[in-house]
Amino acid sequence: MLILASKSPRRRELITALGRPFVATSADADETLPAGLSPREAVTLLATRKAEAGAATAAPDDLVVGADTLVFYRGEALGKPSDEKDAVRMLTLLSGTEHEVWTGVAVWHGGHIFADAALTTVRFRKLTEREILRYVKTGEPMDKAGAYGIQGKGGKLVESYKGAFDNVIGLPVSLLAHLIEQHEKRDRMLSVVRILKEVYPDAACALEFGGDPWRLLVMGRLSAQCTDARVNEVCRDLFLRYPTPEAMANAALDELCEAVRPCGLHRTKGENLRDAARLLLDRFGGTLPDTMEELLLFPGVGRKIANLLLGDVFGKPAIVTDTHFIRICGRLGAYDESEKNPERIERLMTPLIPPEESSDFCHRIVQFGRDTCTARAPKCAGCPLRSVCAHGAQSAQ
Ligand code: SF4
């Protein structure tokens, strides 16, 4: 069931644009804000509190919507006016100038919340004192943030606006629809995580690094445009020859490059490995750091390898966007199948996978990509994910 946790009749009207049945409840939530929040953070926090308050009596399957709107004029948040004098003060401030209207929207479902905010910039025409007083006397400003309603008589005060109109009224429906869709995608990915866990109870990294962080960094670097099997084979000899970072840091470059030649791009990879070994020793005393920012300092290490290290060595949440992951999650419908940018995909997928499952999930996806959802000929007919896969559903038609 869709539940709108708001007393606002305007939000109750706007939410009908979703075209799905809903019930409205009033949810009381703390409206005080800590200092130093940006407008986006402030309205997102208030909307989240409202959704949480509404969820107190909801069932796990329900979708509970909270929203909050604030008007910002030169950094000052203008909420609902406390009295007519306050309304006159606000409208006088806004007269002849531009201000920002921010609405935060939060959607709770099964204990998880997706929340964000939308911005519309509004410009008022120059108002006379008489006009302001007359408008305040209509009573319309008294329950509205910034002391005006753009959808009512207050519309006459507005010269122009940039952004969504419904955001100014109090509920950006396209943002709400996006957040609901996020929950649908997350539900689907939770099913995928669960099913793959059953199919592949042991989630192991295909690179045989023996639990040694440095070796995983080396193997991760060598795996670019090379198969894991080839990297495993090459590294058996490589680590006999250069068993420690010290050995690799002092290696003759030509010999090191020759040793990694079968992995392709041997000059760049060889140079990267020698320089990475030197960095590890000179800057980190031989101990691999455990943050994304520091790992990215190593030559040849991008977010993919850094995430591999964070997940497998340090047990941290990690989305490793390798070629299997990119292909399969697109086919599953988590994002458009034409999306291939690893960083964007990492950003899109991070909120959809429980953090504690993410690293193992990535290993299972690789295995699944080799066994079933192959690049050229996915075996959709017997696929255990078919019931939750967008691509599989299409191929069944
Ligand atoms: S149904 Fe087909 S496309 Fe979807 S995950 Fe399975 S094999 Fe891949």
Side-chain angles (χ1 to χ4, degrees), residues 5-168:
S6 173
K7 293 173 204 158
S8 160
R10 297 171 294 282
R11 289 201 179 105
R12 292 178 186 192
E13 208 177 307
L14 285 168
I15 202 171
T16 59
L18 286 179
R20 53 197 288 173
F22 72 96
V23 294
T25 63
S26 52
D28 290 322
D30 178 12
E31 298 206 11
T32 56
L33 286 168
L37 294 186
S38 68
R40 178 184 289 278
E41 289 166 339
V43 291
T44 304
L45 175 64
L46 294 173
T48 299
R49 285 185 189 152
K50 287 184 180 176
E52 280 169 346
T57 54
D61 277 358
D62 290 337
L63 287 159
V64 184
V65 179
D68 201 275
T69 303
L70 287 175
V71 169
F72 285 85
Y73 175 73
R74 293 186 181 165
E76 184 194 349
L78 306 179
K80 294 169 190 166
S82 52
D83 53 26
E84 288 192 354
K85 204 169 141 207
D86 198 26
V88 170
R89 179 188 75 85
M90 290 184 188
L91 291 166
T92 307
L93 278 179
L94 302 182
S95 169
T97 63
E98 207 171 74
H99 60 272
E100 293 184 345
V101 182
W102 284 90
T103 298
V105 183
V107 181
W108 176 99
H109 172 62
H112 190 82
I113 285 189
F114 282 113
D116 203 351
L119 163 68
T120 302
T121 307
V122 179
R123 171 171 280 281
F124 268 24
R125 55 187 179 74
K126 186 87 189 136
L127 308 174
T128 63
E129 217 178 306
R130 205 157 152 251
E131 238 178 332
I132 290 174
L133 284 172
R134 206 177 326 133
Y135 178 54
V136 170
K137 284 294 169 203
T138 65
E140 188 178 275
M142 302 317 296
D143 65 340
K144 295 176 182 68
Y148 73 98
I150 196 169
Q151 72 285 10
K153 298 181 182 75
K156 289 189 203 146
L157 317 179
V158 174
E159 185 176 287
S160 62
Y161 65 90
K162 204 160 67 196
F165 186 74
D166 56 6
N167 180 41
V168 189

Side-chain angles (χ1 to χ4, degrees), residues 328 331-332 368 372-373 378-380 383 385-386 389 391-392 395:
I328 296 170
R331 285 177 177 171
L332 288 166
F368 178 67
T372 308
C373 193
K379 300 171 189 145
C380 299
C383 173
L385 300 183
R386 189 166 188 172
C389 176
H391 191 94
S395 64

